[in-house]
Amino acid sequence: MWEAVIGLEIHAQLATRSKIFSGASTAYGAEPNTQACAVDLGLPGVLPVLNKEAVRMAAMFGLAIGANVSRRSVFARKNYFYPDLPKGYQISQFELPIVESGQLDIELGDGSTKTIGVTRAHLEEDAGKSLHEDFQGMTGVDLNRAGTPLLEIVSEPDMRSAKEAVAYMKKIHALVTSLEICDGNMQEGSFRCDANVSVRPKGQEELGTRAELKNINSFRFVERAINIEITRQIDIIESGGKVVQETRLYDSDKNETRSMRSKEEANDYRYFPDPDLLPVEITDEFLKDLKKNLPELPQEKKARFIEQYELKPEDAGVLTASPAHARYYEVLVEASGGEARLAANWVVGTLAAMLNKENRDIANSRVSAGELGLLLNKITDNTISGKIAKEVFEAMWAGEGSADDVIESRGLRQITDSSEIEKIIDDIIAANPEQVEQFRAGKEKVLGFFVGQVMKASSGKANPGQVNQLLRKKLSA
Ligand code: ADP
Ligand code: MG
């Protein structure tokens, strides 16, 4: 009966070396307040100077989503008071953002695609950070983050489920990391999102009242938070109440959303153009040049993978989800001697499962693409079967050494000597006269039973192809 409507505001930290309006470093993890200069501290008498690199990165993003990159954009002051905002205002863009009207396709579960509109993307500075934990009865303020360049990417309310929202967020993540304009590190807060959620009766045109879920920094939490919020809103309406427009916080420990402030308490930011900064003007030439040097985009890479490596679209999608995935895969294909399909199955299957279990990034895989390539070689040259390869892989993952080391030390080399296989087969046939009768009477399925027995007797080491062939021969004899 109900339809959910979702729009996301994603904050991507731009990967510049210095801040958006000062020369202070943006490196993560420094001692508090060691990377905040006079400009970031908001001391009187200083003037901001725009970092051209941030503009270049924002423009690249605009080009990559087919948006209008504004030839003229304007920085505005967003006024509010908070201890981590010493100037009393955040420099952002309001009426004239640098990027407007783009779009991005996401793939849905059924294999179809859906276009999500990107309303705008604007440049702004990040605020500092209040530290509540280390000081009893006091709050610390760390201004290292103040002035860090952000690109706020605002979507149209085009998503209809938590799954779609996550698919969109992953797409944006893949895009900004491929463009190398954001490191995408969600733990460090380089990529985070506010989710706006409302519900309406199916078929109704008008949007329902929305709640905004603030600052969610993992794909899993975004999905959970949105689903909880949808349920909460439907419950309210069905029990006769009204959803109020408010900002809510998602608590991942309790798996619930909580009210932070209502619309009535919302700030009036009194935006006005920042008199310290000139409007940003971008020339056609600058854009033409950027366009020419745009790296391969995830969408293009996916199309190339499907074509060049003959992959299924779903697999190609997974393998181009991040530059690190694509890099791993392409190195693996090379190292495995061009076994593109086998390599794809391994990355999407066994490797992904291991990474997932440890919540580990592919860039930090315990088995490198080169090492895995050597393992795949052992399958293609028949040293081991695909099944045994999984065992070898797990041992490699656990640090037992290279594929060769594990195969030797565990004695996993495949049995390809037909006389040895024949001996096992003879024993199995002798021990199962009833099943032999059945096979000879035309019950083909029994062959599977015999294959299973032989493989078991050889601890999985007999070459499956040979086993099949020899079994048929002997059973029909
Ligand atoms: P604000 O500036 O108050 O955050 P915006 O109008 O800029 O509000 O919208 C912010 C985000 O909220 C956008 O991504 C937009 O798509 C989304 N949004 C707006 N209205 C709704 C709604 N009724 N339901 C869900 N999302 C919405
Ligand atoms: Mg908002």
Side-chain angles (χ1 to χ4, degrees), residues 115-156:
T115 302
I116 306 295
V118 176
T119 320
R120 55 186 274 153
H122 59 258
L123 284 165
E124 62 184 26
E125 59 177 348
D126 207 348
K129 206 168 133 190
S130 297
L131 309 168
H132 302 290
E133 265 141 40
D134 299 339
F135 309 91
Q136 251 191 352
M138 290 185 286
T139 293
V141 176
D142 176 9
L143 292 171
N144 282 352
R145 208 186 246 293
T148 299
L150 301 178
L151 188 65
E152 178 172 337
I153 303 160
V154 183
S155 85
E156 290 290 306

Side-chain angles (χ1 to χ4, degrees), residues 425-443:
I425 290 178
D426 289 341
D427 290 346
I428 300 282
I429 286 181
N432 298 283
E434 210 171 292
Q435 280 81 355
V436 175
E437 274 310 303
Q438 289 174 354
F439 181 82
R440 290 188 176 150
K443 212 168 159 196

Side-chain angles (χ1 to χ4, degrees), residues 346 349-350 375 379 384-395:
W346 272 78
T350 312
L375 174 61
I379 303 174
I384 52 172
S385 66
K387 203 161 166 215
I388 292 283
K390 298 230 158 79
E391 180 187 335
V392 178
F393 180 77
E394 281 178 22

Side-chain angles (χ1 to χ4, degrees), residues 105-369:
D105 287 346
I106 58 169
E107 280 92 44
L108 305 182
D110 63 2
S112 63
T113 63
K114 174 173 178 176
T115 302
I116 306 295
V118 176
T119 320
R120 55 186 274 153
H122 59 258
L123 284 165
E124 62 184 26
E125 59 177 348
D126 207 348
K129 206 168 133 190
S130 297
L131 309 168
H132 302 290
E133 265 141 40
D134 299 339
F135 309 91
Q136 251 191 352
M138 290 185 286
T139 293
V141 176
D142 176 9
L143 292 171
N144 282 352
R145 208 186 246 293
T148 299
L150 301 178
L151 188 65
E152 178 172 337
I153 303 160
V154 183
S155 85
E156 290 290 306
D158 284 347
M159 277 107 13
R160 294 291 173 269
S161 68
K163 281 234 157 22
E164 286 185 23
V166 171
Y168 166 78
M169 194 176 168
K170 285 188 171 166
K171 260 286 152 76
I172 294 278
H173 189 267
L175 187 59
V176 295
T177 51
S178 297
L179 291 169
E180 296 184 340
I181 61 173
C182 173
D183 68 18
N185 190 325
M186 296 173 82
Q187 273 101 42
E188 293 177 5
S190 304
F191 190 87
R192 48 197 205 260
C193 128
D194 302 340
N196 294 269
V197 180
S198 65
V199 296
R200 63 182 171 189
K202 271 215 176 93
Q204 178 183 304
E205 190 73 36
E206 198 189 330
L207 294 179
T209 305
R210 73 184 145 120
E212 183 176 3
L213 309 175
K214 272 282 176 208
N215 253 330
I216 318 177
N217 68 349
S218 95
F219 295 124
R220 203 170 304 167
F221 289 167
V222 166
E223 184 164 349
R224 279 197 211 151
I226 291 174
N227 277 329
I228 288 170
E229 183 58 22
I230 292 171
T231 309
R232 189 189 69 90
Q233 292 186 10
I234 293 174
D235 283 350
I236 290 176
I237 300 171
E238 286 188 341
S239 56
K242 265 198 168 136
V243 175
V244 291
Q245 188 172 337
E246 63 184 349
T247 305
R248 300 180 69 86
L249 260 190
Y250 172 65
D251 180 335
S252 57
D253 293 331
K254 297 202 180 124
N255 203 28
E256 61 175 31
T257 67
R258 274 201 300 278
S259 182
M260 219 167 110
R261 57 174 182 262
S262 72
K263 184 74 182 168
E264 286 72 44
E265 301 160 52
N267 294 299
D268 171 4
Y269 294 117
R270 296 181 292 120
Y271 279 100
F272 64 88
D274 193 312
D276 287 347
L277 286 156
L278 291 168
V280 183
E281 290 191 346
I282 291 180
T283 63
D284 289 343
E285 213 176 353
F286 178 78
L287 281 185
K288 222 167 78 195
D289 210 46
L290 266 188
K291 204 166 195 167
K292 216 170 56 207
N293 294 313
L294 227 47
E296 186 179 35
L297 302 177
Q299 212 62 27
E300 298 165 346
K301 193 168 262 161
K302 182 177 166 191
R304 175 168 69 81
F305 277 21
I306 292 172
E307 159 95 24
Q308 181 179 346
Y309 300 124
E310 300 175 5
L311 299 181
K312 284 184 288 191
E314 303 93 88
D315 290 348
V318 175
L319 295 170
T320 52
S322 77
H325 275 86
R327 218 172 295 127
Y328 191 101
Y329 175 67
E330 294 209 278
V331 172
L332 179 59
V333 171
E334 188 73 33
S336 67
E339 294 288 335
R341 266 317 167 102
L342 181 65
N345 289 341
W346 272 78
V347 176
V348 171
T350 312
L351 177 69
M354 287 304 243
L355 292 170
N356 223 347
K357 207 156 72 184
E358 294 188 9
N359 205 1
R360 185 178 277 275
D361 207 83
I362 194 164
N364 302 319
S365 169
R366 290 187 190 274
V367 175
S368 74

